[in-house]
């Protein structure tokens, strides 16, 4: 067992340091406290630390440094940022004259890159990096608490962590899978395949069995596609185009696939869901070669190629009006997803009765599905729809027709029925902040960072100083220019201004550190938001790939934000102990949106979205609409407060003040349930 590897994962995922119970070393303890303090980490129970060897110590510090982004040099274009910023027009004129050979910048020590071309130069970069290192640190520290645990405790906690994710009712964040695999291997976990609810998770686990002896443990043809996509290193969610070009299958594997398909009850319809992929895959599995043994499969593929298959959904939609409910009751999940459509055709009482008839089957209905249906039916304002790839689509307000209230009440009854008797709670306190924390039910494409929240969650700003946004990138082969910008919006989400690559701001409310147009040495851009001076209602930051390599192609790319107190040319532009969020920016997309700032509410709305398109800050009518949808996102999605209320009502508990409650649900470790530390099953239920 590799204790160093487990310690690294324990630090990343559990915020725990594994102590191997060696001979106590007070000098090493002091060194540990100092090193951690520089990064903004502190150990709650430092008395449990004994000692560690140099290799483990270094590896652990490297993990913690990476978590807060303290692994590179941050060198902005303007070394005097944020105090000494040039006038936009004057600076542009001097650049133009410099290109023409008619002038230059006499004091180039003020720059971390060539001030004329804005390309990186090693001499300027090195001098600016050394100057940054000599500057003062911020007096602000955004502490992250760590806990010392034994190796035995770590093994148990990591085992629970991995199994909670595997058996949870929500998709697992893709960035977690490498650590999950290591935990499974190092702890030799025995995975209960029947307990895995999410198909993508089962598909990932099934790869081992497939590659070992062509055993197929997935349940449906679509699950098989997910598994094969994973084997090919492609998108396991199937949200992006998948190609099986060049796939090689042995005869035993082909026979195994055809035999598996023959056992699938709704084979034809399942094949139709991904018609293009199955037609492509048929050229590798050759179902016609096994027509004698499996004629049903050969016929299904023949029907697929000749468009003779009708989906269940089309059959239900095209059924006579008086038969649609009966037909949809054969697929309860589809019935629930079609409620808005049904309300246009049928009386609400009839639909509600059909929903209530599912009470006997409620154990088989996923709680996230029921909650999402409830919230979608309840909310009709401006929406932002986020697909499985994590891409946003802003939509205008919609009007739900029909008697939707009676249907909503029926969904509420199903949820209460499902949760009834699940807790022995008596008195409960629910933190009011949970009303604005969205359940992380769509974590699949979320970035791996310090914050683990659902998109659209609102976080209050404790510090009223400066929010400093940052991006760091290093190109691999070709010149790459990323642009950090912010859009200003009024209370009605109308565009009123920007600070970006050619508009650096005056430093009074928003300040930009300068546009760098190449990154062979690793480039950095910052934007400061001075909270007390901002005179706009909303601020929407974005990181745009202007030219060059995509985010996944870059050698390195991460971004986030700090809460700063001491900002000026005498303090370091980047201070790891002030970092609130730092994420790897490595998914496809033209831009990444970290958050939306609501000035009036003094809240940061966690976004973490990738989008496509150009003209992000200037003249893009979609982004004000997107910001409006994101600002209201928590109203359209299940929140922790809503989930807590369902549990309270379903179990006949009573909501009371905190000092009289025997169960407390909030955001800190002194609560019975800290929602910020829930994973897997806990992210959709308590």
């Amino acid at each position: 067992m590799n204790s160093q590897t487990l310690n690294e994962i324990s630090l990343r995922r559990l915020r725990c340091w594994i102590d191997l119970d060696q001979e106590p070393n007070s000098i090493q303890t002091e060194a540990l406290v100092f090193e951690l303090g520089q990064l903004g980490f502190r150990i709650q129970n430092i008395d449990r630390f004994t000692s560690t060897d140099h290799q483990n110590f270094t590896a652990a510090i490297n993990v913690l440094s990476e978590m807060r982004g303290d692994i590179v040099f941050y060198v902005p274009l303007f070394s005097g940022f944020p105090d000494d910023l040039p006038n936009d027009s004057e600076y542009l004129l001097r650049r133009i004259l410099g290109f023409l050979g008619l002038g230059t910048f006499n004091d180039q020590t003020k720059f971390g890159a060539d001030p004329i071309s804005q390309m990186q130069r090693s001499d300027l970069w090195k001098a600016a990096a050394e100057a940054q290192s000599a500057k003062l640190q911020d007096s602000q520290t955004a502490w992250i608490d760590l806990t010392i645990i034994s190796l035995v405790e770590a093994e148990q906690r990591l085992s629970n962590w991995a199994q909670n994710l595997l058996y949870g009712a929500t998709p697992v964040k893709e960035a977690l899978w490498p650590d999950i695999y290591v935990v499974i291997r190092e702890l030799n976990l025995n995975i209960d395949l029947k307990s895995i609810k999410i198909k993508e998770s089962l598909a990932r686990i099934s790869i081992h069995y497939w590659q070992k002896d062509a055993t197929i443990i997935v349940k449906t043809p679509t699950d098989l596609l997910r598994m094969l996509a994973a084997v090919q290193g492609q998108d396991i969610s199937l949200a992006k185009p998948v190609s099986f070009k060049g796939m090689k299958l042995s005869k035993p594997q082909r026979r195994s696939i055809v035999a598996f398909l023959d056992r699938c009850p709704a084979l034809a319809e399942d094949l139709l869901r991904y018609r293009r992929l199955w037609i492509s895959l048929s050229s590798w599995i050759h179902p016609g070669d096994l027509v004698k043994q499996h004629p049903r499969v050969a016929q299904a593929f023949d029907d697929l190629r000749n468009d003779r298959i009708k989906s269940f959904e089309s059959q239900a939609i095209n059924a006579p009006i008086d038969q649609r409910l009966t037909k949809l009751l054969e697929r309860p999940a589809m019935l629930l997803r079609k409620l808005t459509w049904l309300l246009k055709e049928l009386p609400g009482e009839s639909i509600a009765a059909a929903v209530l008839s599912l009470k006997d089957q409620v154990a088989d209905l996923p709680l996230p599905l029921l909650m999402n249906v409830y919230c979608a039916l309840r909310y009709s304002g401006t929406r932002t729809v986020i697909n499985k790839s994590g891409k946003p689509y802003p939509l205008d307000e919609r009007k739900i027709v029909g008697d939707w209230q009676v249907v909503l009440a029926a969904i509420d009854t199903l949820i209460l029925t499902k949760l009834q008797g699940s807790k022995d709670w008596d008195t409960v306190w629910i933190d009011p902040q949970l009303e604005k924390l969205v359940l992380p039910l769509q974590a699949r494409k979320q970035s791996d960072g310090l914050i683990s929240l659902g998109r659209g969650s609102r976080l209050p700003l404790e510090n009223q100083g400066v929010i400093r946004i940052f991006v760091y990138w290093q190109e691999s082969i070709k010149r790459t220019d990323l642009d950090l910008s912010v859009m200003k919006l009024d209370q009605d989400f109308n565009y009123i201004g920007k600070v970006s690559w050619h508009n650096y701001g005056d430093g009074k409310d928003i300040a930009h550190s300068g546009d760098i147009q190449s990154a062979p040495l690793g480039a950095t851009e910052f934007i400061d938001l001075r909270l007390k001076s901002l005179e706009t209602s909303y601020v929407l930051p974005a990181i745009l790939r202007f030219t060059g390599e995509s985010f996944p192609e870059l050698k390195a790319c991460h971004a986030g934000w700090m809460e700063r107190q001491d900002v000026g040319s005498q303090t370091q532009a980047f201070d790891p102990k002030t970092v609130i969020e730092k994420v790897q920016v490595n998914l496809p997309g033209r831009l990444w949106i970290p958050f939306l700032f609501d000035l009036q509410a003094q809240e940061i709305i966690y976004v973490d979205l990738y989008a496509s398109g150009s003209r992000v800050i200037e003249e893009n009518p979609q982004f004000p609409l997107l910001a409006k949808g994101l600002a209201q996102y928590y109203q359209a999605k299940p929140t922790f407060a809503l989930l807590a209320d369902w549990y309270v009502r379903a179990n006949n508990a009573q909501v009371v003040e905190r000092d009289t409650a025997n169960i407390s649900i909030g955001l800190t470790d002194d609560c019975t349930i800290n929602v910020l530390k829930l994973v897997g099953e806990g992210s959709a239920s308590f």
Side-chain angles (χ1 to χ4, degrees):
M1 182 185 304
N2 191 326
S3 59
Q4 177 180 316
T5 301
L6 291 182
N7 191 39
E8 293 172 13
I9 297 175
S10 181
L11 287 168
R12 270 196 302 269
R13 307 306 173 195
L14 306 179
R15 304 291 193 264
C16 292
W17 182 298
I18 300 175
D19 186 77
L20 300 180
D21 196 22
Q22 299 175 344
E23 189 69 24
N25 186 323
S26 59
I27 296 177
Q28 198 175 79
T29 301
E30 292 177 5
L32 176 64
V33 171
F34 175 79
E35 291 288 346
L36 294 182
Q38 294 293 100
L39 295 170
F41 292 96
R42 60 187 176 190
I43 296 179
Q44 294 176 307
N45 56 342
I46 190 62
D47 56 298
R48 285 195 60 181
F49 177 77
T50 56
S51 62
T52 185
D53 59 57
H54 178 73
Q55 185 176 358
N56 278 322
F57 183 88
T58 302
I61 294 299
N62 287 341
V63 167
L64 297 173
S65 298
E66 195 277 334
M67 288 169 61
R68 298 204 95 151
D70 192 35
I71 52 176
V72 294
F73 290 103
Y74 294 85
V75 180
L77 175 63
F78 303 136
S79 296
F81 169 80
D83 294 338
D84 187 13
L85 299 181
N87 176 274
D88 297 334
S89 300
E90 180 184 342
Y91 177 58
L92 177 61
L93 178 60
R94 294 185 68 184
R95 288 186 63 208
I96 293 173
L97 293 174
F99 274 118
L100 297 175
L102 301 177
T104 185
F105 292 84
N106 295 324
D107 187 3
Q108 295 197 1
T109 61
K110 293 184 177 181
F111 301 92
D114 187 283
I116 298 175
S117 66
Q118 296 181 333
M119 303 289 185
Q120 286 192 317
R121 275 174 34 193
S122 59
D123 58 332
L124 294 178
W125 183 90
K126 183 178 180 180
E130 291 175 352
Q132 282 289 332
S133 299
K135 292 182 179 182
L136 301 173
Q137 288 187 303
D138 202 307
S139 61
Q140 170 85 3
T141 299
W143 291 107
I144 295 178
D145 290 327
L146 303 177
T147 304
I148 299 287
I149 59 176
S150 68
L151 181 58
V152 173
E153 289 176 285
E155 290 174 358
Q156 186 59 55
R157 291 194 188 190
L158 287 172
S159 174
N160 292 339
W161 171 79
Q163 292 182 77
N164 283 337
L165 289 168
L166 289 172
Y167 304 150
T170 58
V172 177
K173 187 186 299 184
E174 288 187 354
L176 299 181
W177 279 104
D179 285 347
I180 292 174
Y181 288 141
V182 171
V183 170
I184 292 174
R185 183 183 69 249
E186 290 293 326
L187 300 184
N188 195 26
L189 292 186
N190 184 21
I191 304 301
D192 181 6
L193 300 175
K194 294 181 180 179
S195 297
I196 299 179
K197 303 180 183 69
I198 300 300
K199 296 179 178 181
E200 294 172 22
S201 298
L202 183 61
R204 288 184 184 274
I205 296 299
S206 68
I207 295 175
H208 168 73
Y209 298 87
W210 170 253
Q211 293 178 332
K212 181 181 178 182
D213 55 12
T215 298
I216 299 176
I217 64 170
V218 295
K219 301 172 183 178
T220 70
T222 301
D223 295 343
L224 179 63
L225 288 180
R226 299 183 202 280
M227 183 193 76
L228 294 176
V231 171
Q232 294 282 96
Q234 301 187 56
D235 182 23
I236 197 170
S237 72
L238 305 180
K240 300 174 188 174
V242 171
S243 172
F244 293 127
K245 184 178 181 180
M247 172 174 281
K248 295 181 180 180
L249 296 172
S250 64
K251 286 185 178 180
Q253 288 175 327
R254 287 163 45 201
R255 287 195 296 267
S256 180
I257 290 175
V258 175
F260 164 77
L261 294 175
D262 204 10
R263 298 192 297 270
C264 297
L267 175 61
E269 185 187 349
D270 284 338
L271 296 182
L272 185 62
R273 287 195 181 95
Y274 291 92
R275 182 176 183 273
R276 179 191 63 82
L277 276 179
W278 279 113
I279 290 177
S280 171
L281 190 59
S282 66
S283 63
W284 302 103
I285 62 177
H286 308 300
D289 292 351
L290 301 171
V291 64
K292 291 183 178 180
Q293 300 94 321
H294 304 286
R296 176 172 171 265
V297 177
Q299 183 62 53
F301 274 98
D302 186 65
D303 291 341
L304 186 69
R305 292 190 189 91
N306 292 284
D307 293 322
R308 292 194 290 264
I309 304 174
K310 290 186 178 181
S311 69
F312 179 87
E313 183 176 2
S314 68
Q315 295 175 42
I317 290 175
N318 295 313
I321 293 178
D322 59 342
Q323 298 178 23
R324 288 176 185 171
L325 274 178
T326 303
K327 185 68 176 175
L328 285 169
L329 279 170
E330 298 176 20
R331 303 280 179 89
M334 185 175 291
L335 168 65
L336 295 172
R337 293 188 178 99
K338 292 292 182 183
L339 292 180
T340 304
W341 174 75
L342 286 170
L343 281 165
K344 299 176 183 178
E345 306 282 343
L346 299 169
E349 291 288 349
S350 300
I351 301 171
V355 170
L356 290 174
S357 71
L358 299 175
K359 289 176 70 174
D360 293 338
Q361 306 175 52
V362 73
D364 298 324
L365 294 174
L367 181 59
L369 170 63
L370 292 170
M371 293 190 294
N372 275 322
V373 169
Y374 179 91
C375 292
L377 197 60
R378 184 182 63 169
Y379 181 77
S380 60
T382 300
R383 295 171 297 144
T384 293
V385 176
I386 301 171
N387 66 13
K388 290 201 299 183
S389 296
K391 299 295 178 64
Y393 296 91
L395 301 174
D396 289 318
E397 295 183 6
R398 63 172 179 171
K399 182 178 180 180
I400 301 176
V401 300
D403 188 7
W404 58 270
Q405 291 91 343
V406 67
V407 180
L408 189 70
I411 299 295
D412 185 66
T413 299
L414 282 187
I415 295 174
L416 294 177
T417 301
K418 186 175 182 67
L419 300 180
Q420 188 173 13
S422 58
K423 302 293 181 183
D424 58 355
W425 293 351
D426 180 18
T427 54
V428 182
W429 174 77
I430 303 171
D431 191 330
Q433 290 189 29
L434 299 188
E435 294 179 1
K436 296 182 178 181
L437 289 189
V438 178
L439 291 171
L441 304 180
Q442 274 187 303
R444 176 192 294 108
K445 292 293 182 180
Q446 285 192 229
S447 300
D448 191 21
L450 295 172
I451 296 177
S452 181
L453 288 175
R455 292 189 179 101
S457 293
R458 286 173 167 259
L459 304 173
L461 286 171
E462 304 296 338
N463 173 38
Q464 294 300 307
V466 173
I467 297 294
R468 176 167 290 177
I469 313 166
F470 65 91
V471 59
Y472 172 90
W473 76 100
Q474 185 174 10
E475 58 204 38
S476 296
I477 299 175
K478 59 182 178 180
R479 183 178 74 85
T480 301
D481 179 10
L482 302 187
D483 290 325
L484 177 61
S485 308
V486 296
M487 174 186 286
K488 299 180 181 180
L489 303 168
D490 66 15
Q491 61 182 2
D492 297 318
F493 297 93
N494 297 310
Y495 170 79
I496 58 174
K498 68 180 184 300
V499 171
S500 62
W501 59 276
H502 62 86
N503 178 12
Y504 303 125
D506 57 11
K508 295 179 180 179
D509 59 350
I510 303 180
H512 194 296
S513 68
D515 178 37
I516 297 180
Q517 300 185 30
S518 69
L521 304 172
T524 304
E525 292 183 14
F526 298 101
I527 288 183
D528 276 3
L529 305 177
R530 295 181 180 268
L531 303 185
K532 294 181 179 180
S533 303
L534 282 170
E535 296 181 352
T536 184
S537 295
Y538 296 93
V539 174
L540 182 69
I543 297 169
L544 171 69
R545 180 178 62 85
F546 181 75
T547 188
E549 299 165 339
S550 66
F551 293 133
E553 292 172 333
L554 288 167
K555 185 176 182 179
C557 186
H558 61 261
W561 67 88
M562 298 171 266
E563 286 188 3
R564 297 296 296 266
Q565 192 64 43
D566 307 322
V567 291
S569 57
Q570 301 305 310
T571 57
Q572 295 177 5
F574 181 86
D575 190 336
K577 60 187 176 61
T578 68
V579 173
I580 301 298
E581 175 66 311
K582 175 263 175 184
V583 305
Q584 299 297 326
V585 183
N586 55 10
L587 296 179
R590 186 73 190 276
L591 69 138
W592 181 66
I593 304 171
F595 65 85
L596 173 66
F597 177 49
D598 184 338
L599 180 64
Q600 294 174 325
Q602 287 294 293
E603 293 174 334
I604 276 185
I605 303 166
Y606 188 66
V607 176
D608 181 28
L609 280 177
Y610 292 82
S612 56
S614 56
R615 299 183 294 112
V616 176
I617 296 300
E618 300 91 351
E619 304 173 5
N620 193 324
Q622 287 291 88
F623 276 79
L625 183 61
L626 173 62
K628 185 177 182 180
L630 292 171
Q632 301 170 359
Y633 197 77
Y634 76 98
Q635 301 175 21
K637 293 293 181 180
T639 63
F640 279 106
L642 190 57
L643 178 63
D645 176 69
W646 272 315
Y647 269 99
V648 166
R649 290 192 289 130
N651 295 281
N652 297 317
Q654 181 183 2
V655 177
V656 297
E657 295 298 322
R658 182 170 188 177
D659 57 355
T660 60
N662 57 15
I663 297 293
S664 57
I665 309 174
L667 310 176
T668 55
D669 284 335
D670 58 349
C671 292
T672 312
I673 300 173
N674 180 354
V675 302
L676 299 182
K677 292 190 175 181
L678 297 176
V679 297
E681 187 69 31
S683 63
S685 61
F686 294 128

